[in-house]
Amino acid sequence: MSESSASVLRRAAIRTLAGNWRGTSTVPSPSLYPHQWSWDSAFIAIGLSHWSQRRAETELLSLFGGQWQDGRVPAIVFDPSVDEEGYFPGPSFWQSNTVSGTAPLATSGIVQPPIHARAALDVLRNAREPARARAFLRRLYPRLCREHDYLATRRVVDESGLAAIVHPWESGLDNSPSWDAPLARVPVDRSLLQRYQRRDLQHAGSDERPTDDDYARYIRLAANYRDSGYDDGRRLPSTEFLVIDPLFNALWAWSEEALADIAEVIGLDPEPHLRRARHLGEAMTELLFDSELATFTAYDVLARARVPRRTVAGLVPLVLETLSPAIVRSLTQQLTSAHFGLLDSDIAGVPSYDLRAPDFDGRRYWRGPTWLNTTWLVWRGLRVHGRDDLAAPLAEAMLELAAGAGFREYFDPRTGSGHGTRHFSWSAALILDVVEDLSRTGAHTVSVAE
Ligand code: 9WN
């Protein structure tokens, strides 16, 4: 990348992050998502760490300000200055203030993929003031441990030791085709759509968002969880959706590895974290790896069966350094095959769903489009396993997507066109990370449209 084109892209990313900053945290999007989201904040902190270490630290600390006493880090921490109409489901739907042990700020009651320890470690690695970053890590470490312990104690539902999710939103890949079969058991109550109004369709086309039927199911699952008092212990046996997701568990294990590094930095014992990370990796291989499909798949706990779909979630376990070489080979073959088209010049980034599946849809949310966060995770995974030959073209593809379409929420992998909301924070943050990384090594010529 030439110095000047790198700085165009870098400046555009910083402009987006600065525009979405709200004083102590960053909104994913000023229009569609006007509060603080959990895994978004982790990606955002990674980007911010290249520009403002203080903002990166504040982003994570403010998110953990919403942590519940049971250790869960809620998917959304609501900004009290945004009115209820700003986003559905908002504070009056989740009613976190009626639950004991919740934070003073209103939050949602579900979680999202636990990638925060990894983000905190990246903040240290990119820090210009390392002593300050170490103090930050000392503060955050106990909260990160509680986040992971919540999963280990409240979300493990079988002998695998892996964490189950109770709502598709907890996966971060809301309407992934992997949820079709488990969701089919959830009755569609259309009256819920009259009682509660979808707000997302005011900001994005209905052909790019989840369907009404799926939305009715999401509301039902969330309302049932709320009405149980968010009590995992009592609720899990009677829930209508209970799934063990490879991306969620891979990020937990990857974060557990990061916690081990953080523990060492602050003078504590890394061993318990390494043990848990190893165990999670082995359990994932045993329960979630589908050797016929040659990828990781989700496990539907209620049906006691794997969900045989190839999605990007099945490739994200590449981030784990303890994966066996045979599985790493399967995943890289999968990535470069016609299912994901990594080396195909007609395909941009890593599609969220199998390009060859009959229901692949390049524009509908998590059912085909390329997202920059999952593509970035695969990029990191390729580098963990020394596959720079594949990581380098993927980095290039990410930059080209942002250069061509701006920091959109997602992109059609077949055309590179941008979709969903604009000025999307994690797209900007992760592009900033890639630019900084490549500016140390590579040479690219890109400029950005925003
Ligand atoms: C529900 C904020 C979030 C992301 C999720 C993405 C989308 C919300 C929605 O936006 O989910 O949490 O309203 O669709 O699927 O990954 O964290 O960017």
Side-chain angles (χ1 to χ4, degrees), residues 240-282:
E240 291 173 328
F241 181 94
L242 194 61
V243 164
I244 299 180
D245 172 51
L247 178 147
F248 191 100
N249 282 281
L251 295 191
W252 179 17
W254 198 39
S255 280
E256 206 65 57
E257 288 172 1
L259 262 190
D261 288 353
I262 293 173
E264 281 212 88
V265 167
I266 61 175
L268 297 172
D269 182 10
E271 200 39 51
H273 301 299
L274 290 174
R275 246 194 329 270
R276 192 186 264 167
R278 268 194 305 271
H279 171 77
L280 291 171
E282 283 160 18

Side-chain angles (χ1 to χ4, degrees), residues 412-424:
D412 188 329
R414 299 157 307 181
T415 61
S417 57
H419 299 277
T421 193
R422 291 167 195 275
H423 311 291
F424 190 56

Side-chain angles (χ1 to χ4, degrees), residues 28 33 37 39-40 76 87 112 169 172-174 209 215 365-366 371 409 424 426:
Y33 309 119
W37 259 260
W39 80 325
D40 297 63
I76 307 174
Y87 179 78
Q112 274 194 320
W169 286 337
L173 276 57
D174 304 6
R209 294 282 305 177
Y215 227 84
Y365 225 37
W366 294 100
W371 291 67
E409 191 178 5
F424 190 56
W426 83 38

Side-chain angles (χ1 to χ4, degrees), residues 12 16 37 121 143 163 217 228 232 304 319 386 444:
T16 297
W37 259 260
L121 183 62
R143 304 176 198 192
R217 293 180 167 115
S228 77
D232 299 314
R304 292 174 190 275
V319 293
H444 304 268

Side-chain angles (χ1 to χ4, degrees), residues 290-307:
D290 185 317
S291 40
E292 238 165 77
L293 295 185
T295 188
F296 287 88
T297 53
Y299 180 78
D300 183 344
V301 178
L302 302 178
R304 292 174 190 275
R306 287 198 204 101
V307 183

Side-chain angles (χ1 to χ4, degrees), residues 289 323-333:
F289 190 74
L323 277 194
S324 76
I327 290 200
V328 172
R329 244 187 335 271
S330 290
L331 297 183
T332 50
Q333 276 163 8

